[in-house]
Amino acid sequence: MSNRVVLAAALGAALVHGSAAAQTQAEFRGGLTVGSHSASAAALDVDPSVSFDIVVRSQVLPSFAVFGGFFRTAFGCEMGFCTDRDLTVVGNHGALGAEWGRGGPWLRAGVLFGATKVGSEGETSDPGPGLLAAGGLTLGVGRVRLLPGMSYRWWSARTATASDHAIALALDLGVAFQLGGGS
């Protein structure tokens, strides 16, 4: 399954709830991410790289929303097998999940599906599942809002020769744009 198919399914699922269409928002997030890739034999590598998310979120109840989108997670690798090899671990995933919050603080949980690549010469992993947990704040009112937050991501990075996984911690800032009516 290609990342385009996963992205289309994620975005479509987030928009399915018809009565919430007036309370749909597009969100763009970017920030710094650190992480660990089990194949590198390195623990948490504090070599940040830029990651970004594109999310469509639809309000279902006053304090509950669903979301779908594309998550590109990247972090550097300096230790373990990465020593003296300037490598970056990159995961490209579709995401589906739920958000709890009512203005102010919010929490998200979701599932990821996609593939991972380590460096330009690395083997791309088989597509696989992952998990997402995130939290943050909603700042501002009206059609444009700032969403500072943090996230934890775990995902499969299994290849034909190894059963690997990756973990990433991100500190990011999102900008959300209301689509349609509502505030």
Side-chain angles (χ1 to χ4, degrees):
M1 183 180 291
S2 78
N3 282 339
R4 289 183 200 152
V5 172
V6 172
L7 176 59
L11 292 174
L15 296 173
V16 164
H17 194 277
S19 66
Q23 297 180 24
T24 299
Q25 71 182 25
E27 180 181 319
F28 304 94
R29 303 187 69 75
L32 295 177
T33 306
V34 297
S36 173
H37 185 259
S38 61
S40 71
L44 181 66
D45 238 332
V46 184
D47 183 16
S49 290
V50 175
S51 295
F52 68 88
D53 310 337
I54 301 169
V55 176
V56 174
R57 180 184 161 281
S58 187
Q59 201 73 32
V60 177
L61 299 170
S63 61
F64 179 77
V66 294
F67 69 88
F70 174 78
F71 287 50
R72 181 192 183 273
T73 308
F75 55 87
C77 183
E78 296 181 323
M79 299 184 288
F81 301 144
C82 299
T83 302
D84 299 324
R85 300 174 63 203
D86 186 23
L87 296 178
T88 301
V89 177
V90 177
N92 292 305
H93 294 84
L96 289 174
E99 177 182 314
W100 296 268
R102 189 178 190 134
W106 51 265
L107 294 172
R108 286 184 180 167
V111 294
L112 304 170
F113 189 82
T116 304
K117 185 165 179 93
V118 180
S120 59
E121 73 275 356
E123 180 179 10
T124 300
S125 72
D126 296 332
L131 299 172
L132 163 73
L137 293 171
T138 300
L139 302 175
V141 293
R143 294 182 102 38
V144 178
R145 298 177 183 173
L146 293 177
L147 305 165
M150 296 177 61
S151 71
Y152 170 87
R153 302 169 191 186
W154 177 97
W155 69 88
S156 169
R158 187 182 63 187
T159 63
T161 58
S163 182
D164 297 321
H165 68 277
I167 295 171
L169 300 171
L171 182 61
D172 51 27
L173 178 63
V175 178
F177 302 93
Q178 281 304 112
L179 306 173
S183 58

